[in-house]
Amino acid sequence: MTDEGRQVVETLMIVHQDAMACVQGLSEWLAEGYLKALPENIQSASGFPPGTQLLAERTAFGRVLSLLASLARSHTVDIRPGIINVVYKGLIRVLERAALLMPSAGFWTACFDGQALANAMLQKAEASLHELFALHGDPNLTPSRLSLCPCSHGLTTCCSVIQS
Amino acid sequence: MCTWQDVAEAQEKWEHASEALVETCRRCSGSQQARAVQTAHLMLRLGLEGAAPGLLQPAAGEQTTAEKGVLKLISLLAPLCRQNCMDSVGKLQLLADGECAGSSEELLSLTSTLFMCTRFVTDACNCVIVSPEDWGVAKCSSLHSILPLLECSLPTLDAALVLNSVARQLQVISCFFLIFL
Protein backbone atom coordinates (compact mmCIF):
# COMPACT_ATOMS: atom_id res chain seq x y z
CA MET A 1 0.00 0.00 0.00
CA THR A 2 1.26 3.45 -0.89
CA ASP A 3 1.77 6.25 1.65
CA GLU A 4 -1.32 7.97 0.26
CA GLY A 5 -3.36 4.80 0.71
CA ARG A 6 -2.15 4.35 4.25
CA GLN A 7 -3.01 7.98 4.99
CA VAL A 8 -6.55 7.48 3.64
CA VAL A 9 -7.16 4.33 5.71
CA GLU A 10 -5.70 5.89 8.86
CA THR A 11 -7.82 9.02 8.43
CA LEU A 12 -10.98 6.97 7.97
CA MET A 13 -10.19 5.01 11.14
CA ILE A 14 -9.64 8.25 13.08
CA VAL A 15 -12.96 9.66 11.85
CA HIS A 16 -14.67 6.40 12.89
CA GLN A 17 -13.10 6.50 16.36
CA ASP A 18 -14.02 10.17 16.80
CA ALA A 19 -17.61 9.43 15.79
CA MET A 20 -17.81 6.45 18.15
CA ALA A 21 -16.41 8.47 21.04
CA CYS A 22 -18.87 11.27 20.31
CA VAL A 23 -21.86 8.88 20.26
CA GLN A 24 -20.66 7.45 23.58
CA GLY A 25 -20.27 10.95 24.99
CA LEU A 26 -23.75 11.97 23.85
CA SER A 27 -25.38 8.85 25.31
CA GLU A 28 -23.49 9.35 28.55
CA TRP A 29 -24.57 12.99 28.71
CA LEU A 30 -28.20 12.06 28.00
CA ALA A 31 -28.28 9.38 30.71
CA GLU A 32 -26.07 10.85 33.42
CA GLY A 33 -26.17 14.56 32.70
CA TYR A 34 -29.44 15.61 31.12
CA LEU A 35 -31.88 13.04 32.51
CA LYS A 36 -30.35 13.07 35.98
CA ALA A 37 -30.69 16.85 36.21
CA LEU A 38 -34.03 17.11 34.39
CA PRO A 39 -36.39 17.22 37.42
CA GLU A 40 -34.32 19.96 39.06
CA ASN A 41 -33.95 21.92 35.81
CA ILE A 42 -37.67 21.80 35.14
CA GLN A 43 -38.42 23.04 38.67
CA SER A 44 -35.93 25.89 38.53
CA ALA A 45 -36.79 26.97 34.97
CA SER A 46 -37.86 30.58 34.68
CA GLY A 47 -39.83 32.24 31.92
CA PHE A 48 -41.77 29.14 30.90
CA PRO A 49 -44.76 27.63 32.64
CA PRO A 50 -43.38 24.22 33.76
CA GLY A 51 -45.99 22.27 31.77
CA THR A 52 -45.05 23.93 28.48
CA GLN A 53 -41.36 23.40 29.05
CA LEU A 54 -41.81 19.81 30.12
CA LEU A 55 -43.78 19.10 26.96
CA ALA A 56 -41.07 20.71 24.79
CA GLU A 57 -38.37 18.72 26.57
CA ARG A 58 -40.28 15.44 26.26
CA THR A 59 -40.91 15.98 22.57
CA ALA A 60 -37.22 16.80 22.04
CA PHE A 61 -36.21 13.76 24.07
CA GLY A 62 -38.49 11.50 22.01
CA ARG A 63 -36.95 12.86 18.81
CA VAL A 64 -33.37 12.35 20.06
CA LEU A 65 -34.23 8.86 21.25
CA SER A 66 -35.61 8.00 17.81
CA LEU A 67 -32.42 9.31 16.17
CA LEU A 68 -30.26 7.28 18.57
CA ALA A 69 -32.39 4.20 17.95
CA SER A 70 -32.09 4.66 14.20
CA LEU A 71 -28.30 4.95 14.61
CA ALA A 72 -28.27 1.78 16.73
CA ARG A 73 -30.42 -0.08 14.20
CA SER A 74 -28.08 0.76 11.31
CA HIS A 75 -25.02 -0.70 13.04
CA THR A 76 -24.76 -4.37 13.85
CA VAL A 77 -23.79 -5.55 17.28
CA ASP A 78 -20.16 -6.44 17.69
CA ILE A 79 -19.77 -10.16 17.18
CA ARG A 80 -16.88 -10.49 19.62
CA PRO A 81 -18.23 -12.75 22.36
CA GLY A 82 -19.93 -10.91 25.19
CA ILE A 83 -19.37 -7.43 23.83
CA ILE A 84 -22.34 -5.49 22.59
CA ASN A 85 -21.81 -2.48 20.40
CA VAL A 86 -21.24 0.66 22.47
CA VAL A 87 -24.14 2.30 20.67
CA TYR A 88 -26.56 -0.24 22.11
CA LYS A 89 -24.99 -0.03 25.54
CA GLY A 90 -25.37 3.74 25.54
CA LEU A 91 -28.93 3.56 24.30
CA ILE A 92 -29.90 0.98 26.91
CA ARG A 93 -28.52 3.20 29.69
CA VAL A 94 -30.54 6.13 28.36
CA LEU A 95 -33.68 3.98 28.22
CA GLU A 96 -33.15 2.63 31.73
CA ARG A 97 -32.70 6.13 33.13
CA ALA A 98 -35.63 7.52 31.11
CA ALA A 99 -37.96 4.74 32.21
CA LEU A 100 -37.67 5.98 35.79
CA LEU A 101 -38.22 9.62 34.91
CA MET A 102 -40.84 9.35 32.20
CA PRO A 103 -43.07 6.52 33.30
CA SER A 104 -46.18 7.74 31.49
CA ALA A 105 -47.30 5.30 28.82
CA GLY A 106 -48.44 8.31 26.80
CA PHE A 107 -44.88 9.51 26.37
CA TRP A 108 -43.60 6.20 25.10
CA THR A 109 -46.40 5.76 22.60
CA ALA A 110 -46.54 9.37 21.42
CA CYS A 111 -42.84 10.16 21.14
CA PHE A 112 -41.01 6.93 20.73
CA ASP A 113 -41.73 3.48 19.35
CA GLY A 114 -40.01 1.33 21.96
CA GLN A 115 -41.45 -1.93 20.63
CA ALA A 116 -40.01 -1.30 17.17
CA LEU A 117 -36.61 -0.61 18.69
CA ALA A 118 -36.74 -3.70 20.89
CA ASN A 119 -37.64 -5.87 17.89
CA ALA A 120 -34.86 -4.34 15.78
CA MET A 121 -32.35 -4.90 18.59
CA LEU A 122 -33.44 -8.50 18.93
CA GLN A 123 -33.09 -9.09 15.19
CA LYS A 124 -29.58 -7.64 15.21
CA ALA A 125 -28.59 -9.63 18.27
CA GLU A 126 -30.09 -12.78 16.79
CA ALA A 127 -28.16 -12.35 13.53
CA SER A 128 -24.94 -11.83 15.48
CA LEU A 129 -25.66 -14.85 17.65
CA HIS A 130 -26.07 -16.97 14.53
CA GLU A 131 -22.75 -15.65 13.23
CA LEU A 132 -21.11 -16.39 16.58
CA PHE A 133 -22.43 -19.95 16.57
CA ALA A 134 -21.29 -20.40 12.99
CA LEU A 135 -17.80 -19.22 13.96
CA HIS A 136 -17.29 -20.75 17.39
CA GLY A 137 -20.35 -22.74 18.37
CA ASP A 138 -21.02 -26.40 18.96
CA PRO A 139 -22.37 -27.74 15.64
CA ASN A 140 -24.96 -29.78 17.57
CA LEU A 141 -26.45 -26.68 19.18
CA THR A 142 -28.24 -24.06 17.11
CA PRO A 143 -29.75 -20.91 18.53
CA SER A 144 -33.27 -20.68 17.22
CA ARG A 145 -34.49 -17.31 18.38
CA LEU A 146 -34.24 -14.61 20.99
CA SER A 147 -37.28 -13.35 22.78
CA LEU A 148 -38.25 -10.76 25.34
CA CYS A 149 -39.29 -12.52 28.50
CA PRO A 150 -42.45 -11.22 30.18
CA CYS A 151 -40.70 -10.51 33.48
CA SER A 152 -40.22 -7.05 34.88
CA HIS A 153 -36.45 -7.00 34.43
CA GLY A 154 -34.70 -4.18 32.62
CA LEU A 155 -33.91 -4.46 28.91
CA THR A 156 -30.36 -5.59 29.62
CA THR A 157 -31.47 -8.70 31.45
CA CYS A 158 -34.76 -9.67 29.92
CA CYS A 159 -33.49 -11.44 26.80
CA SER A 160 -33.49 -15.20 27.01
CA VAL A 161 -31.87 -17.55 24.53
CA ILE A 162 -34.07 -20.41 23.48
CA GLN A 163 -32.05 -23.22 22.01
CA SER A 164 -33.55 -25.89 19.83
CA MET B 1 -4.55 47.07 27.19
CA CYS B 2 -7.64 45.27 25.94
CA THR B 3 -10.95 46.92 26.89
CA TRP B 4 -14.47 45.47 26.93
CA GLN B 5 -15.14 47.50 23.81
CA ASP B 6 -12.17 45.83 22.03
CA VAL B 7 -13.52 42.43 23.01
CA ALA B 8 -17.01 43.29 21.76
CA GLU B 9 -15.58 44.60 18.45
CA ALA B 10 -13.45 41.48 18.01
CA GLN B 11 -16.51 39.32 18.57
CA GLU B 12 -18.51 41.28 16.05
CA LYS B 13 -15.73 40.87 13.46
CA TRP B 14 -15.49 37.19 14.26
CA GLU B 15 -19.22 36.84 13.65
CA HIS B 16 -19.07 38.66 10.29
CA ALA B 17 -16.10 36.52 9.23
CA SER B 18 -17.95 33.37 10.27
CA GLU B 19 -21.02 34.32 8.24
CA ALA B 20 -18.85 35.00 5.18
CA LEU B 21 -17.11 31.69 5.69
CA VAL B 22 -20.41 29.82 5.89
CA GLU B 23 -21.40 31.41 2.57
CA THR B 24 -18.06 30.31 1.07
CA CYS B 25 -18.62 26.78 2.36
CA ARG B 26 -22.05 26.73 0.74
CA ARG B 27 -20.79 28.01 -2.63
CA CYS B 28 -17.71 25.76 -2.93
CA SER B 29 -17.57 22.07 -3.62
CA GLY B 30 -15.07 19.21 -3.40
CA SER B 31 -11.61 19.92 -2.00
CA GLN B 32 -12.25 23.69 -1.96
CA GLN B 33 -15.22 23.12 0.29
CA ALA B 34 -13.18 20.83 2.55
CA ARG B 35 -10.64 23.64 2.95
CA ALA B 36 -13.40 26.14 3.70
CA VAL B 37 -14.86 23.79 6.34
CA GLN B 38 -11.36 23.40 7.78
CA THR B 39 -11.11 27.19 8.10
CA ALA B 40 -14.59 27.25 9.68
CA HIS B 41 -13.39 24.64 12.15
CA LEU B 42 -10.47 26.88 13.07
CA MET B 43 -12.90 29.79 13.41
CA LEU B 44 -15.01 27.66 15.72
CA ARG B 45 -12.00 26.98 17.93
CA LEU B 46 -11.09 30.66 17.87
CA GLY B 47 -14.65 31.58 18.77
CA LEU B 48 -14.65 29.10 21.62
CA GLU B 49 -11.51 30.64 23.04
CA GLY B 50 -13.32 33.97 22.84
CA ALA B 51 -16.27 32.43 24.62
CA ALA B 52 -14.14 31.45 27.62
CA PRO B 53 -15.54 32.67 30.91
CA GLY B 54 -14.08 35.91 32.18
CA LEU B 55 -14.13 37.74 28.86
CA LEU B 56 -17.67 38.86 29.31
CA GLN B 57 -19.63 38.45 32.53
CA PRO B 58 -23.24 37.57 31.79
CA ALA B 59 -25.84 36.89 34.44
CA ALA B 60 -25.73 33.31 35.74
CA GLY B 61 -27.11 30.84 33.22
CA GLU B 62 -27.15 33.35 30.34
CA GLN B 63 -25.10 32.97 27.19
CA THR B 64 -22.30 35.40 26.39
CA THR B 65 -22.31 37.21 23.04
CA ALA B 66 -19.37 35.03 21.97
CA GLU B 67 -21.26 31.88 22.91
CA LYS B 68 -24.23 32.99 20.87
CA GLY B 69 -21.88 33.60 17.93
CA VAL B 70 -20.36 30.14 18.29
CA LEU B 71 -23.80 28.52 18.45
CA LYS B 72 -24.85 30.47 15.38
CA LEU B 73 -21.79 29.28 13.42
CA ILE B 74 -22.52 25.71 14.48
CA SER B 75 -26.20 25.94 13.55
CA LEU B 76 -25.34 27.38 10.12
CA LEU B 77 -22.62 24.90 9.25
CA ALA B 78 -23.80 21.67 10.87
CA PRO B 79 -26.46 20.91 8.18
CA LEU B 80 -23.86 21.39 5.44
CA CYS B 81 -21.42 19.12 7.29
CA ARG B 82 -24.12 16.47 7.65
CA GLN B 83 -24.89 16.53 3.92
CA ASN B 84 -21.20 16.45 2.94
CA CYS B 85 -20.45 13.65 5.33
CA MET B 86 -23.32 11.49 4.10
CA ASP B 87 -22.45 12.14 0.41
CA SER B 88 -18.77 11.35 0.97
CA VAL B 89 -19.50 8.14 2.87
CA GLY B 90 -21.88 7.07 0.08
CA LYS B 91 -19.22 7.66 -2.59
CA LEU B 92 -16.52 5.94 -0.53
CA GLN B 93 -18.80 2.96 -0.04
CA LEU B 94 -19.22 2.68 -3.83
CA LEU B 95 -15.44 2.74 -4.25
CA ALA B 96 -14.95 0.17 -1.49
CA ASP B 97 -17.61 -2.11 -2.99
CA GLY B 98 -15.72 -1.91 -6.28
CA GLU B 99 -18.81 -0.53 -8.02
CA CYS B 100 -16.90 2.40 -9.47
CA ALA B 101 -13.31 3.44 -9.99
CA GLY B 102 -11.80 6.56 -8.51
CA SER B 103 -8.54 8.45 -8.74
CA SER B 104 -6.29 8.86 -5.73
CA GLU B 105 -7.08 12.61 -5.78
CA GLU B 106 -10.77 11.85 -5.54
CA LEU B 107 -10.21 9.45 -2.68
CA LEU B 108 -8.04 11.91 -0.80
CA SER B 109 -10.56 14.70 -1.36
CA LEU B 110 -13.46 12.56 -0.07
CA THR B 111 -11.43 11.52 2.96
CA SER B 112 -10.38 15.05 3.76
CA THR B 113 -13.99 16.34 3.44
CA LEU B 114 -15.16 13.57 5.74
CA PHE B 115 -12.46 14.28 8.26
CA MET B 116 -13.17 18.01 8.40
CA CYS B 117 -16.95 17.73 8.46
CA THR B 118 -17.00 15.02 11.12
CA ARG B 119 -14.44 16.91 13.21
CA PHE B 120 -16.58 20.04 13.03
CA VAL B 121 -19.66 18.11 14.17
CA THR B 122 -17.90 16.18 16.97
CA ASP B 123 -16.22 19.35 18.26
CA ALA B 124 -19.57 21.15 18.14
CA CYS B 125 -21.23 18.33 20.13
CA ASN B 126 -18.38 18.19 22.62
CA CYS B 127 -18.29 21.91 23.24
CA VAL B 128 -22.04 22.48 23.42
CA ILE B 129 -23.25 19.20 24.94
CA VAL B 130 -20.73 16.66 26.22
CA SER B 131 -18.03 18.72 27.94
CA PRO B 132 -18.87 22.44 27.74
CA GLU B 133 -16.82 23.13 30.87
CA ASP B 134 -13.65 22.07 29.01
CA TRP B 135 -14.42 24.66 26.33
CA GLY B 136 -15.54 27.43 28.63
CA VAL B 137 -19.14 27.30 27.45
CA ALA B 138 -22.16 27.34 29.78
CA LYS B 139 -23.65 23.94 30.60
CA CYS B 140 -26.70 23.09 28.53
CA SER B 141 -29.76 21.95 30.46
CA SER B 142 -32.43 22.04 27.77
CA LEU B 143 -32.58 19.34 25.11
CA HIS B 144 -35.16 21.36 23.23
CA SER B 145 -32.66 24.19 22.69
CA ILE B 146 -30.00 21.93 21.18
CA LEU B 147 -32.33 19.72 19.16
CA PRO B 148 -31.31 21.28 15.80
CA LEU B 149 -27.66 20.44 16.54
CA LEU B 150 -28.52 16.86 17.51
CA GLU B 151 -30.71 16.46 14.43
CA CYS B 152 -27.62 17.23 12.34
CA SER B 153 -25.05 15.45 14.47
CA LEU B 154 -26.62 12.04 14.95
CA PRO B 155 -27.14 11.34 11.21
CA THR B 156 -23.57 12.59 10.57
CA LEU B 157 -22.19 10.24 13.23
CA ASP B 158 -24.38 7.46 11.88
CA ALA B 159 -22.75 7.87 8.47
CA ALA B 160 -19.24 8.12 9.96
CA LEU B 161 -19.66 4.90 11.95
CA VAL B 162 -19.53 2.77 8.79
CA LEU B 163 -16.02 4.04 7.98
CA ASN B 164 -14.38 1.27 9.96
CA SER B 165 -15.68 -1.35 7.53
CA VAL B 166 -15.14 0.93 4.52
CA ALA B 167 -11.47 1.33 5.50
CA ARG B 168 -11.09 -2.46 5.83
CA GLN B 169 -12.73 -2.99 2.43
CA LEU B 170 -10.38 -0.44 0.86
CA GLN B 171 -7.40 -2.27 2.36
CA VAL B 172 -8.63 -5.54 0.83
CA ILE B 173 -9.11 -3.90 -2.57
CA SER B 174 -5.59 -2.51 -2.44
CA CYS B 175 -4.17 -5.98 -1.68
CA PHE B 176 -5.92 -7.71 -4.56
CA PHE B 177 -5.90 -5.13 -7.30
CA LEU B 178 -2.93 -2.92 -6.45
CA ILE B 179 -4.98 0.11 -7.41
CA PHE B 180 -4.47 3.68 -6.24
CA LEU B 181 -4.08 2.52 -2.68
Side-chain angles (χ1 to χ4, degrees):
Chain A
M1 190 186 285
T2 63
D3 283 348
E4 275 183 343
R6 206 165 290 120
Q7 192 192 327
V8 165
V9 170
E10 278 172 15
T11 307
L12 293 179
M13 294 295 207
I14 290 171
V15 174
H16 175 267
Q17 282 163 10
D18 275 0
M20 189 59 94
C22 193
V23 171
Q24 263 181 293
L26 286 174
S27 307
E28 178 83 21
W29 173 81
L30 262 180
E32 299 303 321
Y34 173 75
L35 286 173
K36 214 172 179 179
L38 184 64
E40 200 182 311
N41 286 333
I42 293 286
Q43 273 187 346
S44 64
S46 55
F48 283 104
T52 314
Q53 206 206 353
L54 186 60
L55 186 65
E57 289 299 310
R58 281 193 177 192
T59 310
F61 183 67
R63 176 78 187 122
V64 173
L65 218 45
S66 299
L67 285 167
L68 261 182
S70 153
L71 193 145
R73 278 201 299 273
S74 44
H75 301 281
T76 53
V77 290
D78 196 317
I79 62 162
R80 275 177 295 160
I83 300 176
I84 297 184
N85 190 306
V86 290
V87 179
Y88 277 86
K89 277 189 177 172
L91 183 59
I92 288 166
R93 281 186 68 189
V94 173
L95 288 172
E96 282 176 340
R97 172 78 65 182
L100 300 172
L101 280 169
M102 300 186 184
S104 102
F107 165 76
W108 295 102
T109 47
C111 299
F112 176 68
D113 191 347
Q115 191 61 51
L117 173 70
N119 288 337
M121 287 168 89
L122 282 178
Q123 276 172 20
K124 291 279 188 195
E126 214 169 271
S128 290
L129 200 65
H130 278 274
E131 280 185 64
L132 260 180
F133 265 70
L135 283 171
H136 311 288
D138 180 344
N140 299 319
L141 277 177
T142 321
S144 58
R145 53 186 284 269
L146 288 172
S147 65
L148 284 171
C149 69
C151 64
S152 56
H153 297 151
L155 260 180
T156 44
T157 51
C158 68
C159 290
S160 62
V161 181
I162 300 168
Q163 291 180 333
S164 61
Chain B
M1 195 175 153
C2 189
T3 64
W4 289 119
Q5 199 184 347
D6 294 334
V7 175
E9 275 175 23
Q11 283 171 351
E12 201 180 323
K13 281 176 185 157
W14 177 88
E15 205 168 320
H16 286 313
S18 305
E19 280 167 9
L21 203 49
V22 169
E23 266 315 296
T24 313
C25 290
R26 282 184 181 146
R27 278 202 307 272
C28 298
S29 59
S31 57
Q32 273 186 328
Q33 195 177 54
R35 276 197 293 273
V37 173
Q38 185 174 12
T39 315
H41 181 250
L42 291 173
M43 282 293 282
L44 176 70
R45 295 226 165 206
L46 191 68
L48 284 167
E49 281 175 24
L55 278 179
L56 288 179
Q57 306 277 343
E62 277 182 24
Q63 290 171 339
T64 61
T65 321
E67 263 183 83
K68 282 180 190 158
V70 165
L71 296 177
K72 192 172 167 191
L73 174 64
I74 288 173
S75 66
L76 288 172
L77 216 51
L80 185 88
C81 287
R82 176 188 56 184
Q83 195 55 50
N84 280 351
C85 199
M86 289 167 94
D87 290 350
S88 304
V89 170
K91 283 176 193 163
L92 269 174
Q93 188 71 67
L94 284 177
L95 285 172
D97 290 345
E99 286 180 31
C100 70
S103 64
S104 59
E105 288 78 24
E106 228 176 309
L107 192 61
L108 283 170
S109 160
L110 285 175
T111 312
S112 128
T113 304
L114 254 176
F115 182 76
M116 285 325 306
C117 291
T118 315
R119 216 3 100 81
F120 186 89
V121 166
T122 53
D123 272 359
C125 284
N126 285 331
C127 87
V128 177
I129 306 170
V130 180
S131 49
E133 60 281 4
D134 295 348
W135 299 75
V137 176
K139 230 176 182 175
C140 164
S141 58
S142 158
L143 200 57
H144 174 67
S145 66
I146 52 162
L147 188 59
L149 172 59
L150 284 167
E151 282 183 318
C152 283
S153 311
L154 287 169
T156 308
L157 298 171
D158 194 355
L161 283 178
V162 302
L163 292 176
N164 203 20
S165 61
V166 170
R168 283 199 200 118
Q169 275 177 284
L170 285 170
Q171 273 176 316
V172 172
I173 289 180
S174 78
C175 293
F176 285 104
F177 301 106
L178 297 172
I179 54 163
F180 46 79
L181 284 176

